[in-house]
Amino acid sequence: MGKVYEVKHPLIQHKLTMIRHKEVGTKDFRALVDELAMLLTYEASRDLPLEDISFDTPVAHTTQKQLTGKKLAVVPILRAGLGMVDGILELIPAAKVGHIGMYRDEESLEPVEYFIKLPEDIQSREVLLVDPMLATGGSARDAISALKARGAQKIKLITLVSAPEGVEAVLAEHPDVDIFTASIDEGLNDQGYIVPGLGDAGDRLFGTH
Ligand code: URA
């Protein structure tokens, strides 16, 4: 069964509190989203496999650990997920980056995939699927299905703020996926915003409204 990790590191809590303030402008919001994405990735990468390597330091022969060949792909859900990519690549510069675009159909309110481009060896990469806000969970749920349909085998979802409804929706359909989030908030309001949340993450990242 997939697990939800609400990562309560003091730096994460502090930075998340900062971006919840409505007065925070685009430049600071962007920088903090990057930092939060990096800190959450540090936690989400805790189980990456290591192997032994033997070599000479200037002083002695030694055997130490290094990451094994397991490769990663970062996949942001457009558009707000883009705001998390640079922070993750600071930690894992060799990761490949795919993109998934989803919009919400105005009548059915269901997410519709309009764009997908993934590394061609996605089946052999662990995927970090990223989206700052896990609200109803519809986009994340469908993005995970789209990744699995193209062969992705191990997927972790990284979000900044999650609604309990979204967590439940994702895990109900994808019990094999782990979710890493900085906060599980109270819930959704009748306009689909997470409460207390931080507003529209895409608009705040890109300065639109
Ligand atoms: N998407 C956002 O950007 N914010 C919310 O609160 C919910 C969905």
Side-chain angles (χ1 to χ4, degrees):
M1 181 69 184
K3 285 207 189 108
V4 190
Y5 298 89
E6 192 180 14
V7 186
K8 289 286 180 189
H9 190 287
L11 287 173
I12 292 182
Q13 291 193 60
H14 181 78
K15 288 174 194 292
L16 181 62
T17 297
M18 287 175 79
I19 57 170
R20 287 187 192 272
H21 283 74
K22 66 178 181 189
E23 297 83 13
V24 169
T26 304
K27 178 168 166 277
D28 291 338
F29 190 90
R30 237 179 239 157
L32 287 160
V33 167
D34 261 336
E35 290 167 18
L36 281 161
M38 191 190 301
L39 291 166
L40 285 166
T41 300
Y42 180 76
E43 199 61 34
S45 56
R46 260 184 199 284
D47 64 349
L48 284 181
L50 294 167
E51 64 186 359
D52 286 337
I53 174 178
S54 298
F55 59 99
D56 295 326
T57 75
V59 179
H61 191 72
T62 186
T63 301
Q64 303 289 337
K65 301 285 181 196
Q66 68 174 15
L67 291 169
T68 62
K70 181 96 185 166
K71 294 184 258 168
L72 289 166
V74 183
V75 179
I77 300 179
L78 302 178
R79 128 188 103 130
L82 288 174
M84 297 171 71
V85 173
D86 287 351
I88 297 176
L89 292 181
E90 291 256 331
L91 268 192
I92 310 172
K96 295 252 166 90
V97 181
H99 294 88
I100 296 186
M102 321 271 297
Y103 71 89
R104 186 187 294 233
D105 181 86
E106 286 186 4
E107 277 181 14
S108 69
L109 299 182
E110 282 297 310
V112 179
E113 177 191 311
Y114 67 87
F115 180 81
I116 184 158
K117 187 95 182 169
L118 300 172
E120 60 183 2
D121 56 352
I122 194 76
Q123 334 67 248
S124 59
R125 289 178 181 266
E126 177 171 323
V127 178
L128 302 179
L129 178 67
V130 300
D131 197 355
M133 310 301 279
L134 179 60
T136 61
S139 305
R141 181 198 62 206
D142 290 5
I144 294 167
S145 299
L147 288 167
K148 287 181 175 172
R150 287 156 180 90
Q153 297 185 19
K154 179 150 193 205
I155 301 168
K156 290 174 179 164
L157 174 64
I158 304 181
T159 73
L160 302 188
V161 181
S162 302
E165 296 91 323
V167 169
E168 209 174 293
V170 168
L171 291 183
E173 190 146 333
H174 300 292
D176 53 327
V177 169
D178 287 340
I179 302 174
F180 294 82
T181 187
S183 175
I184 300 175
D185 275 15
E186 289 159 28
L188 298 172
N189 68 14
D190 52 15
Q191 289 161 322
Y193 281 97
I194 300 177
V195 181
L198 49 76
D200 187 305
D203 282 347
R204 297 196 64 190
L205 275 166
F206 297 111
T208 51
H209 58 268

